[in-house]
Amino acid sequence: SQQGEEDPQALSIQEGENATMNCSYKTSINNLQWYRQNSGRGLVHLILIRSNEREKHSGRLRVTLDTSKKSSSLLITASRAADTASYFCATGNTGNQFYFGTGTSLTVIP
Amino acid sequence: NAGVMQNPRHLVRRRGQEARLRCSPMKGHSHVYWYRQLPEEGLKFMVYLQKENIIDESGMPKERFSAEFPKEGPSILRIQQVVRGDSAAYFCASSPRGPLEQYFGPGTRLTVT
């Protein structure tokens, strides 16, 4: 399956701490994206990293990609209660589809 | 610029009825994608459409499901003779150019009783 797989499935941290989520996939990709989904809502695009990139930053977000290990990580620094959500990685190849993982549920405790 | 709009937000249908889900893409976006999300799962791609054309429907079930994106009006995902297993959240996304940069709507939650 090309579907990404996030790890851990659930994560609970104190406000101010850093949160790290990992995504592993099985086939070669052109790009990988991270999305956030608040409970009962649609997905919000966070960041895209292409297969020739190793690291990208956006505000408090840092994404790394290791194509040799077929894995990516999303780091949220100085977490806030508003970061509580589910986080999904989605992998894309040369086709039209993105393959979403099952997500990591992050709870940030105020 | 309004985001991707989906309606209805919640839809309840009895087994055997038809469900019609609508998606209005963002202004200027001509690419639309439909995804299904079962409880506790990630999104699964269903179909990719451009105006009046189906580009990729490899994720669509072979029977009962159809999608269209007419020249005028929203994209429609139609499920005929719904069954309990169709209960899920259905998300639509749009993009200005191809699969990258997809903007998601709030979803339609379909419950089949």
Side-chain angles (χ1 to χ4, degrees):
Chain A
S1 165
Q2 291 178 268
Q3 190 173 12
E5 201 169 298
E6 288 90 344
D7 173 67
Q9 284 187 305
L11 180 61
S12 184
I13 58 173
Q14 291 291 141
E15 198 166 32
E17 292 180 339
N18 296 343
T20 300
M21 288 157 266
N22 302 297
C23 169
S24 59
Y25 55 92
K26 292 181 180 166
T27 63
S28 60
I29 61 171
N30 271 4
N31 58 78
L32 185 145
Q33 302 184 60
W34 283 92
Y35 288 82
R36 183 184 72 222
Q37 184 180 35
N38 289 85
S39 180
R41 303 283 187 89
L43 275 74
V44 174
H45 182 265
L46 295 177
I47 200 163
L48 177 149
I49 187 165
R50 297 182 191 274
S51 58
N52 60 352
E53 296 175 310
R54 292 295 165 258
E55 189 171 310
K56 272 188 107 165
H57 297 255
S58 176
R60 292 183 297 113
L61 306 180
R62 176 180 158 237
V63 167
T64 62
L65 178 64
D66 187 336
T67 51
S68 66
K69 293 181 180 175
K70 291 188 169 57
S71 68
S72 172
S73 68
L74 170 66
L75 168 67
I76 305 174
T77 59
S79 63
R80 304 167 183 167
D83 295 328
T84 294
S86 291
Y87 292 82
F88 294 88
C89 69
T91 55
N93 53 24
T94 53
N96 299 308
Q97 297 191 28
F98 281 98
Y99 296 89
F100 285 81
T102 51
T104 291
S105 175
L106 172 66
T107 302
V108 180
I109 303 164
Chain B
N1 187 7
V4 177
M5 312 272 282
Q6 288 187 251
N7 67 81
R9 295 292 305 275
H10 298 272
L11 181 62
V12 180
R13 283 284 180 265
R14 289 197 180 89
R15 274 181 299 171
Q17 291 184 319
E18 178 180 289
R20 279 182 172 243
L21 288 63
R22 292 176 188 76
C23 169
S24 297
M26 286 179 71
K27 189 176 180 182
H29 289 193
S30 59
H31 301 249
V32 165
Y33 312 81
W34 285 94
Y35 295 85
R36 176 165 62 179
Q37 184 179 33
L38 294 169
E40 309 298 321
E41 292 190 13
L43 275 71
K44 296 280 187 348
F45 168 82
M46 298 182 76
V47 62
Y48 164 31
L49 309 107
Q50 272 185 279
K51 283 286 186 181
E52 300 185 275
N53 290 308
I54 296 174
I55 306 301
D56 183 346
E57 58 180 348
S58 56
M60 286 276 271
K62 294 285 184 280
E63 297 174 349
R64 302 187 298 108
F65 284 72
S66 62
E68 63 177 14
F69 188 17
K71 191 176 179 183
E72 302 291 336
S75 175
I76 306 280
L77 179 67
R78 185 177 171 215
I79 311 172
Q80 295 178 288
Q81 299 175 318
V82 295
V83 301
R84 288 234 172 92
D86 296 333
S87 295
Y90 292 82
F91 290 94
C92 160
S94 72
S95 71
R97 301 166 291 273
L100 293 183
E101 279 189 86
Q102 293 183 37
Y103 295 82
F104 282 79
T108 292
R109 271 148 190 83
L110 172 66
T111 302
V112 179
T113 61

